[in-house]
Amino acid sequence: MIFKEYDVVKGNCVIEISSFGRSSEASFEMKDTDEEFDFRDIPELDAYGRTVPYYCEVTVTKDRVWSRI
């Protein structure tokens, strides 16, 4: 980021994993804000799915483009 104009979206989230051949994608749904962020790399977690809640923090630009976990 060039300017320090960013937000941190944080709170309870669920992680859904989608597999497409050899690649997989992780989708983070933030429960408090109803926002969703997609990542190509799958995090190392014990379990995935809507029944497994996590606490997540995602740094995003002001227009809600994610920059990193």
Side-chain angles (χ1 to χ4, degrees), residues 15-21 23-27 38-40 42:
I15 302 169
E16 290 289 328
I17 302 300
S18 301
S19 295
F20 307 102
S23 65
S24 295
E25 185 176 277
S27 177
D38 297 315
F39 299 91
R40 291 183 192 255
I42 298 175

Side-chain angles (χ1 to χ4, degrees), residues 22-61:
R22 292 185 180 185
S23 65
S24 295
E25 185 176 277
S27 177
F28 288 66
E29 180 185 340
M30 305 302 291
K31 301 307 283 182
D32 298 333
T33 63
D34 287 330
E35 293 178 272
E36 191 170 308
F37 302 96
D38 297 315
F39 299 91
R40 291 183 192 255
D41 296 321
I42 298 175
E44 292 292 329
L45 301 172
D46 294 333
Y48 305 106
R50 298 200 171 276
T51 61
V52 183
Y54 282 95
Y55 177 81
C56 299
E57 292 186 10
V58 180
T59 302
V60 296
T61 61

Side-chain angles (χ1 to χ4, degrees), residues 1 5-9 35 37 58-68:
M1 286 182 258
E5 296 183 23
Y6 60 89
D7 289 327
V8 177
V9 180
E35 293 178 272
F37 302 96
V58 180
T59 302
V60 296
T61 61
K62 290 291 184 181
D63 60 356
R64 291 301 200 243
V65 177
W66 67 266
S67 58
R68 64 178 7 176

